[in-house]
Structure formats: C-alpha cells, structure tokens
C-alpha cells in the first residue's frame, strides 16, 4: 500500500535478512526470485489471543510427570501460517507451549512466533494467588519458568491484583 492507502500493483519487492529492503528498485543478480503473479503480499498477521493445544495432562499431577495427552505441533501450527498469522500470543500458557515455541524457533516445525503468558488467578487456574505475597511470588515463579507475560484472571482480590501488577 502507498501512504495514501492505494494498492501497489505488479510490484517487485526485495527482501534481505527477513526485512523489506526495497519496492520496485533493482534486483541483485544473486537474488532468489519468487514469482508472485496473481498473488497478494501482506504483512504477517498477529493473533493477540489464542489458546493453543499443547502436550499435557488432564489431571493434577506432579512436576516430573510426563504428558498424558500429546498433539502433533506441526498440525496445530499449519492453520496459522496458511492464513497469514506469523505471531500468536498464547494467553493460557503452560509448559508444553514452550516446547512448541522452541520447535518453531529451531525450525523443526513451521509455525508462528509465540509469546506466552502465565495465568495468575485467585482460584482454579495453573497459578493460584489469594494474598498479595502469593501474587508477588507467583510473578517471580512465572518469570523463573520463562514466562515473559502475565495474564491476570477473574478471581484475584483487589490487594492481590495490585501486588501482581506491581511485581510484574
């Protein structure tokens, strides 16, 4: 699109190091040509609220217990890529999502980049906090597990909610 929101038709797009280098400029003789006649080129889409299936267990277990339910990560990721979604924000993060993200990053699975949030709730979710101290420790624990985002859920009391926000 142009700055005036007009479609640029029949364009030549040069990509270098995963970034657009030029549009309708010269092409290096070493370039790999991808013919996109009758195709569209759009920016990658981001789905900012997903709940992706991941390996895990339906029962309360213990930390070293293996998964009791397994999914083929590639099969789960194909629909995202096929529909132009290049980044997802997993808002109900579990440890199984880290394995999915890592497989995508190491390129053994074709899929979108994944941002993963831990859920902190006052009852019933993966991480439960009912006091401000528990809320702060839950944020620290989530960070230690590798989560970079926190999703605060329904049943936190006001003091715990504020402590989680402050600690995050």
């Amino acid at each position: 699109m142009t700055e005036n929101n007009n479609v640029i038709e029949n364009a030549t797009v040069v990509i270098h190091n995963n970034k657009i280098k030029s549009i309708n400029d010269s092409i290096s003789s070493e370039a790999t040509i991808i013919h996109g006649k009758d195709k569209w080129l759009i920016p990658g889409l981001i789905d900012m609220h997903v709940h992706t299936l991941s390996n895990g267990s339906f029962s309360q277990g213990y930390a070293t217990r293996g998964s009791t339910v397994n999914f083929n990560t590639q099969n789960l990721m194909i629909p995202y890529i096929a529909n132009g979604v290049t980044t997802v924000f997993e808002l109900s993060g579990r440890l199984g999502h880290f394995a999915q993200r890592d497989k995508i990053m190491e390129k053994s699975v074709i899929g979108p980049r994944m941002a993963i949030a831990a859920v902190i709730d006052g009852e019933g979710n993966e991480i439960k906090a009912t006091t401000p101290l528990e809320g702060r420790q839950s944020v620290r624990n989530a960070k230690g597990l590798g989560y970079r985002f926190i999703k605060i859920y329904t049943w936190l009391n006001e003091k715990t909610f504020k402590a989680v926000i402050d600690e995050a």
Side-chain angles (χ1 to χ4, degrees):
M1 304 289 293
T2 66
E3 289 181 17
N4 297 325
N5 293 325
N6 296 313
V7 173
I8 302 171
E9 295 188 31
N10 303 316
T12 299
V13 179
V14 176
I15 298 173
H16 182 69
N17 291 333
N18 293 321
K19 296 198 185 250
I20 295 176
K21 183 177 178 184
S22 66
I23 299 175
N24 288 334
D25 284 342
S26 62
I27 303 172
S28 165
S29 60
E30 293 91 38
T32 300
I33 307 292
I34 299 172
H35 295 283
K37 184 175 171 137
D38 298 323
K39 306 288 185 213
W40 288 84
L41 177 65
I42 64 169
L45 303 174
I46 300 174
D47 191 333
M48 291 298 292
H49 192 140
V50 303
H51 297 288
T52 304
L53 297 172
S54 70
N55 294 345
S57 175
F58 289 116
S59 65
Q60 297 286 6
Y62 43 90
T64 58
R65 180 179 180 181
S67 297
T68 56
V69 74
N70 295 289
F71 298 95
N72 181 308
T73 298
Q74 186 61 79
N75 290 346
L76 295 172
M77 297 303 151
I78 288 285
Y80 291 121
I81 297 301
N83 288 287
V85 177
T86 59
T87 303
V88 296
F89 194 6
E90 172 55 60
L91 286 170
S92 186
R94 294 179 304 283
L95 294 179
H97 291 115
F98 289 100
Q100 291 176 327
R101 182 201 61 194
D102 293 348
K103 286 181 178 184
I104 293 165
M105 289 173 59
E106 69 188 22
K107 300 189 183 329
S108 64
V109 165
I110 298 169
R113 289 180 297 253
M114 291 182 75
I116 305 169
V119 178
I120 299 177
D121 192 3
E123 59 182 64
N125 268 296
E126 295 284 321
I127 303 173
K128 181 179 175 181
T130 58
T131 67
L133 182 61
E134 287 178 352
R136 288 181 182 282
Q137 189 59 49
S138 294
V139 172
R140 293 180 196 129
N141 292 346
K143 182 179 180 184
L145 289 169
Y147 290 100
R148 296 180 59 203
F149 302 93
I150 300 294
K151 175 182 177 179
I152 295 178
Y153 209 62
T154 307
W155 304 110
L156 288 178
N157 62 56
E158 184 177 352
K159 288 181 181 180
T160 304
F161 177 91
K162 288 179 179 180
V164 169
I165 295 291
D166 182 62
E167 190 66 29

